Every structure is written in C-alpha cells, then in structure tokens.
Amino acid sequence: MIETQEASETRPATGPVIDPEYTTRFARAHEDAGFDRILIGYSSRRPDGTQVAAHVAARTERIGLLIAHRPGFVAPTLAARSFATLDQFTGGRVAVHTITGGNGAEQRKDGDFLDKEERYERTDEYLGILRRAWSSDEPFSHEGRHYRFEDYSSQVLPYRATGIPLYFGGSSEAAYRVGGKHADTFALWGEPLAETAEQIASVRAAATAAGRAEAPGISVSFRPILAATEELAWERAHRVLDTIRAGGGRPFFHQQNGERAPQNAGSQRLLAAAAKADRHDRALWTPTATATGAGGNTTALVGTPETVAQALLDYVDIGATTLLIRGYDPLDDAIDYGRHLIPLVRQELAHRAATAPSAQAAPVAQAAPAR
C-alpha cells in the first residue's frame, strides 16, 4: 500500500500532502521489491486514488494498481469509463478494490447519508452495472433502486476481454453476500487462522448462494515486523507498539466524532481477537490493532523472515490466494520485504508446485502473489 506523503501509525506526516517524488519512490520501491500490485487507499480527506494511480503508472513499468473505490459518489457508468481508460493506458494494470464504507460519519463527509444496509444494496447494484459496462459493446439501459440511465454505451472498454479485476473488502454478513456475488478476490484483514477460515467459508457459501460456479479468491493482509533473530524481532515489535501508544504517528483512519468503538465489522473482529490474546498461531500479534483502534489492517506478523514466511503460508494453506503486506515503517519495510520475505514465500510455493501431483500443481502455483 502506498501513500502520497510519508506517514504511518509510527511516524507523523512529513512534507506536502501530495509529494510527487516520494510517491514515485514509494511505488518504485514496491516494483523493485517484486510486489505484484500496490493498493492505493481511499478516505474522504486523501488525494483521489485514480489520479495517484495515473501518476504512478507513468513512472513505473509493470506493477499493478489496486485502486480503492467507494461506490455511490460517482455514477457507475462514469466510473466504468474512468477505470477502463486508465486500464487501456497502462496495458491492463488496473484493479478496483471496492469498499462500501463502514463508518457513517466518514461517509457523510462526502455527502452519503445512507445507512449500512442501504449502502450494500447500492454496491450490489453498482457492481452489476460496472461489470456490464465493461463487457457490453451494445447500448443498454438500467432502472434500479439507486441508478437509472438510458442507452449507455462507451467506446472504451478494459484492456483485457476478461475485464478489470474486482477486489472487495468487508467482514459483515452484508459484505459476504455482496462480495461473494461480485468479487474476483475477497479481502480480509489478518485474524487468527481459525477465524479466517470461518470467514473464508462464509464468503464461499455466499458465492454458492449467488449461483457462482467458482468462489472468489481470498486476500489476507498483515503488517510484518521482521528482524534477523526472533528476539530482535520482538524487541522491534514492542518499540513499534510503544511508538503507536505514544501517539506520534498518524493512523490511516481516525475514530470519527469521538466514537469509542469502530462501526465496521472488520475492526470489531480485530479488536475481539486482540481481547482473546496478544499472540495467536505461529506469529500473529494483535496489540497493534488495539493501540490503533483497528482502523485498518493493523495486526502484525512478528519474527525472522523465515518465521513470517511460514506464517503467511499457513494462510495460503487455508485458502488465501493473495497476501497483502505493508509495514509500520512503510518505505523501508517494503524494501526489506523484497529482500528477505517475498523470495522465501515464492520459493516455497514454487517448491510445492514442483513436487505436487500435476492435478494440484496449478492451483498452488497461482497462490503465489505477494502484494
């Protein structure tokens, strides 16, 4: 995940809100590190993600651009053309990460006064229109609860006939229902293995209920904290935690209007896991979620690169197809992941693919992306 300004939960923002040179350096660091995609986030206060992606695309060569997008603030037909245009200019490097919105106050800042269930109903309708707009070379009309238009057609379609990949984030029953119906990849925050397996089962059940022959892929996201030894990694983890608690950094999302508890199910689930224990499974560490209010993917995987690589592979073993990793020291960590972590994950996946029976080799090999 990249930003246009150097900042994180462990460090205050420095420089202008849009620092073109830093944004370019940050994106190139991910490309050089071997990442497949970079996520460009969304909030009511931050620069427009599509324009950030266009800046990055012009200054990189191959890295994919996963643009966070909230349905409802622009017409789906306009969004379809905007993303397809960028996809054509970049040779098919665009993917869209759909975020329906889990905080009413945050939504209202951009003029959205629907409640959560209504937002998911709108997202369902919106994504259906997007899919059709990306695949139709004939005019079509639509009349639904939230959108109505006549004879829409566009000269610009996505770069690939398969369209633009749709990612989808959420952890509520409504999210499972809508994401299970539409998503190519369903994105989850890093919970313990048992709870993650439960969520994967819910997504797959929703996909089946929607009549899909194949379930979405699964993305899980973490904040790895690495060091040369286990002892040094845990020392570093506690320094990160102390810095967060001291309040010197800038969370991706602040709690809105004095709210003490997050409204979105994903944050609530992270806090519930943290309340059970600080450490889970092989390397999952949750106090960072508590310290930040779980305003985003905030749970850590702590240890040597070998330990954290095995922990990531534990999630592949239960169904993860995408691994989304970002650091509490964002730029430096991205470089370190490329040097020490991503190669270990890919090496093990390649070994599995080479030694597995031929019928199983392809699916395992496809689980390799580390984003």
Side-chain angles (χ1 to χ4, degrees):
M1 180 175 180
I2 66 164
E3 292 199 57
T4 60
Q5 178 187 43
E6 186 172 10
S8 79
E9 296 91 339
T10 64
R11 58 183 65 192
T14 59
V17 172
I18 297 179
D19 183 336
E21 292 185 3
Y22 175 77
T23 306
T24 299
R25 187 165 71 252
F26 203 3
R28 285 178 175 169
H30 283 81
E31 185 165 76
D32 292 343
F35 282 78
D36 296 302
R37 296 189 193 277
I38 43 177
L39 172 62
I40 300 167
Y42 186 108
S43 84
S44 62
R45 302 176 60 192
R46 281 174 166 74
D48 177 70
T50 305
Q51 296 186 58
V52 174
H55 170 86
V56 167
R59 291 157 180 82
T60 54
E61 295 181 0
R62 63 154 195 88
I63 197 160
L65 307 160
L66 180 56
I67 306 168
H69 179 65
R70 285 186 187 167
F73 298 119
V74 298
T77 49
L78 172 58
R81 294 196 305 278
S82 177
F83 289 127
T85 300
L86 184 58
D87 198 46
Q88 286 285 348
F89 273 120
T90 62
R93 291 159 63 186
V94 171
V96 176
H97 182 48
T98 308
I99 304 173
T100 298
N103 185 287
E106 167 73 3
Q107 297 292 120
R108 291 191 293 272
K109 291 178 186 297
D110 271 335
D112 181 17
F113 288 82
L114 297 184
D115 64 28
K116 182 177 179 179
E117 285 299 319
E118 290 175 316
R119 290 198 296 268
Y120 274 104
E121 289 178 2
R122 180 179 62 192
T123 295
D124 186 9
E125 186 176 345
Y126 189 100
L127 294 181
I129 295 168
L130 269 189
R131 290 286 199 193
R132 188 171 182 186
W134 284 337
S135 62
S136 177
D137 54 8
E138 297 291 336
F140 69 95
S141 300
H142 175 86
E143 184 168 351
R145 179 174 179 181
H146 298 280
Y147 299 103
R148 177 184 178 185
F149 54 84
E150 296 179 354
D151 296 327
Y152 172 80
S153 64
S154 175
Q155 293 179 322
V156 57
L157 297 175
Y159 181 80
R160 295 183 177 85
T162 52
I164 292 174
L166 280 179
Y167 286 60
F168 193 99
S171 292
S172 65
E173 291 300 322
Y176 301 147
R177 182 179 71 251
V178 178
K181 177 180 178 181
H182 293 283
D184 295 302
T185 300
F186 197 104
L188 304 171
W189 290 339
E191 297 182 25
L193 288 164
E195 285 84 342
T196 302
E198 292 172 357
Q199 290 215 76
I200 293 172
S202 295
V203 172
R204 289 174 174 171
T208 299
R212 295 182 61 170
E214 296 184 7
I218 298 293
S219 171
V220 289
S221 57
F222 304 95
R223 311 289 289 272
I225 300 175
L226 307 179
T229 68
E230 297 293 326
E231 181 180 2
L232 290 174
W234 284 104
E235 288 178 2
R236 184 185 174 202
H238 284 284
R239 288 197 302 273
V240 167
L241 181 61
D242 290 344
T243 304
I244 294 172
R245 286 173 171 169
R250 188 194 73 181
F252 188 78
F253 285 119
H254 296 275
Q255 294 299 323
Q256 304 288 333
N257 300 336
E259 295 168 0
R260 295 184 178 181
Q263 298 177 8
N264 61 302
S267 293
Q268 292 169 4
R269 291 180 65 98
L270 292 189
L271 294 176
K276 292 179 181 178
D278 287 352
R279 295 176 65 170
H280 300 261
D281 305 318
R282 190 186 300 268
L284 184 67
W285 196 50
T286 60
T288 46
T290 304
T292 59
N297 65 311
T298 46
T299 51
L301 293 175
V302 181
T304 64
E306 292 77 11
T307 295
V308 173
Q310 288 301 316
L312 289 169
L313 290 163
D314 290 339
Y315 286 87
V316 173
D317 289 339
I318 64 169
T321 56
T322 294
L323 305 172
L324 194 157
I325 53 175
R326 64 185 179 110
Y328 281 106
D329 295 313
L331 178 56
D332 291 342
D333 281 341
I335 295 169
D336 283 346
Y337 297 159
R339 289 173 177 168
H340 306 297
L341 182 59
I342 294 174
L344 291 176
V345 175
R346 289 204 165 113
Q347 179 181 341
E348 173 58 22
L349 288 168
H351 172 74
R352 293 182 182 187
T355 58
S358 58
Q360 300 176 9
V364 173
Q366 293 171 4
R371 307 195 194 280

